[in-house]
Amino acid sequence: MAIKTFREVIAEAMSEEMRRDPSIFLIGEEVAEYNGAYKASKGMLDEFGPKRVIDAPIAEAGFAGISVGSTLTGCRPIVEFMTFNFSLVAIDQIINNAAKIYQMSGGQMNCPIVFRGPTASAGQLGATHSQAFDSWYANVPGLKVVVPSNPYDAKGLLKTAIRDNDPVIFMESEQMYGDKMEVPEEEYLIPIGKADIKREGKDVTLVSYGKVIKQAYAAADELAKEGIEVEIIDIRTIRPLDYETIIASVKKTNRLVVLEEAWPFANVSSEITYMVQQKAFDYLDAPVKRINTKDTSAPYAPNLFEKWYPQVKEVVDAVKSVMYKK
């Protein structure tokens, strides 16, 4: 085991897979000469050269479309968006081409492609650079959506995503690239579609994913001081979603809080809430509680951003509200 940062394991996962399979290439803005906008492809140009680590112009629709087309010739591209806010320029290629190729070819052609880059807020970047698109892409049949919350999961899930024969949306966070943890030196894979119970507990199930799960950990530590044991589930994969792990936990704790960095209307927490009430309603001792960002674009001012983004106290209060519901 070695201590590695999130950005290091992203580069490692891509490099290991590119050594294994010469059909894989990386393309995106500043991925080559600059070593990645967030240094998540550091050293890859030197190792693989400009034909496999490709600096693209600021034309997301163009390089996404080229990459989707290349899958039909036997390539397996990794497309990096500097931020998933910029993926909106390429959304036609992702939704109307990559996600549809397998079905519209009658299963004759696959589209093995990974679209990866940062999602959601990252401090003072403004409203147009602080949007979570997890549930947007998860709404589309034909796409898989992965949002890891730590370096260990990120490496194992990215390697699996690159090997997948379907298009995968792989979302990170600018604010996690410096996060560190122990990661095995030997190869490992993490299956797409399997949640992970990060913390065992018997009183309340707390479901989250991505960087906002850090608020869940902090809240669980606070609640433990009062004797409340919170079970934290990191879903890791938005589509396919591991309903079974969530439902099994709810049947044990009889309470559910969902924490998500997304606007409150029609999001991942809405889907989880619905499915739990469909499949485990009789086990619930209190209504499901959701915690989201406020229903506005992300503010720039730090004091307003704090009001907009889910805070630890909100999580603590939500858990207590389902614990003491009469």
Side-chain angles (χ1 to χ4, degrees), residues 141-191:
L143 297 178
K144 296 175 181 177
V145 181
V146 178
V147 188
S149 67
N150 62 74
Y152 176 86
D153 287 351
K155 183 174 183 181
L157 285 164
L158 182 53
K159 288 172 69 70
T160 301
I162 294 169
R163 297 185 189 190
D164 201 293
N165 285 326
D166 294 314
V168 179
I169 307 292
F170 192 94
M171 294 176 157
E172 304 151 16
S173 168
E174 292 99 324
Q175 292 184 321
M176 294 195 301
Y177 283 128
D179 290 358
K180 299 178 181 180
M181 70 182 302
E182 285 191 338
V183 177
E185 296 286 3
E186 65 273 11
E187 181 177 81
Y188 67 96
L189 301 172
I190 295 174

Side-chain angles (χ1 to χ4, degrees), residues 40-297:
S41 54
K42 186 176 181 180
M44 293 181 65
L45 174 63
D46 292 339
E47 179 173 356
F48 299 104
K51 290 187 177 181
R52 295 186 68 195
V53 182
I54 305 165
D55 273 332
I58 303 174
E60 287 83 5
F63 66 76
I66 288 169
S67 299
V68 171
S70 78
T71 67
L72 305 181
T73 68
C75 294
R76 305 180 72 92
I78 304 167
V79 179
E80 178 180 305
F81 296 118
M82 193 179 295
T83 161
F84 260 92
N85 296 278
F86 300 164
S87 76
L88 299 189
V89 182
I91 203 165
D92 180 58
Q93 294 293 342
I94 298 170
I95 291 176
N96 280 330
N97 289 324
K100 305 295 191 290
I101 284 173
Y102 183 78
Q103 180 180 1
M104 295 185 72
S105 70
Q108 296 178 81
M109 292 181 286
N110 293 93
C111 184
I113 187 170
V114 175
F115 299 98
R116 54 155 292 269
T119 187
S121 64
Q124 290 183 276
L125 295 184
T128 58
H129 285 196
S130 303
Q131 303 172 99
F133 297 109
D134 324 342
S135 60
W136 286 37
Y137 285 114
N139 188 247
V140 182
L143 297 178
K144 296 175 181 177
V145 181
V146 178
V147 188
S149 67
N150 62 74
Y152 176 86
D153 287 351
K155 183 174 183 181
L157 285 164
L158 182 53
K159 288 172 69 70
T160 301
I162 294 169
R163 297 185 189 190
D164 201 293
N165 285 326
D166 294 314
V168 179
I169 307 292
F170 192 94
M171 294 176 157
E172 304 151 16
S173 168
E174 292 99 324
Q175 292 184 321
M176 294 195 301
Y177 283 128
D179 290 358
K180 299 178 181 180
M181 70 182 302
E182 285 191 338
V183 177
E185 296 286 3
E186 65 273 11
E187 181 177 81
Y188 67 96
L189 301 172
I190 295 174
I192 291 174
K194 183 62 179 172
D196 189 31
I197 299 175
K198 298 295 189 185
R199 179 170 178 154
E200 298 275 355
K202 63 178 178 60
D203 295 321
V204 180
T205 299
L206 178 49
V207 176
S208 189
Y209 66 94
K211 79 172 185 292
V212 78
I213 201 172
K214 294 177 181 180
Q215 309 291 67
Y217 295 139
D221 288 340
E222 288 294 314
L223 290 159
K225 297 173 184 176
E226 300 181 36
I228 299 173
E229 296 182 15
V230 177
E231 180 147 292
I232 298 177
I233 297 176
D234 184 348
I235 56 176
R236 303 192 292 197
T237 302
I238 312 305
R239 185 169 185 141
L241 185 58
D242 184 358
Y243 298 107
E244 290 74 16
T245 295
I246 298 169
I247 290 166
S249 179
V250 169
K251 287 181 177 180
K252 178 177 71 172
T253 66
N254 309 120
R255 300 170 182 87
L256 174 63
V257 175
V258 187
L259 170 63
E260 177 189 12
E261 183 185 351
W263 296 307
F265 185 82
N267 53 30
V268 176
S269 55
S270 301
E271 169 66 14
I272 292 171
T273 299
Y274 173 77
M275 290 305 297
V276 168
Q277 291 181 156
Q278 284 291 301
K279 298 188 175 184
F281 180 79
D282 290 341
Y283 291 87
L284 289 170
D285 288 343
V288 177
K289 190 80 172 179
R290 298 187 308 155
I291 307 167
N292 299 103
T293 63
K294 302 305 182 288
D295 199 17
T296 69
S297 297

Side-chain angles (χ1 to χ4, degrees), residues 5-62:
T5 65
F6 201 108
R7 63 167 54 87
E8 286 174 331
V9 301
I10 293 294
E12 273 190 6
M14 293 190 294
S15 296
E16 288 173 11
E17 292 305 300
M18 288 174 69
R19 292 180 199 119
R20 184 186 62 83
D21 185 346
S23 70
I24 299 169
F25 67 88
L26 171 66
I27 186 170
E29 295 145 344
E30 299 184 349
V31 298
E33 295 289 346
Y34 193 65
N35 286 312
Y38 299 99
K39 300 298 181 277
S41 54
K42 186 176 181 180
M44 293 181 65
L45 174 63
D46 292 339
E47 179 173 356
F48 299 104
K51 290 187 177 181
R52 295 186 68 195
V53 182
I54 305 165
D55 273 332
I58 303 174
E60 287 83 5

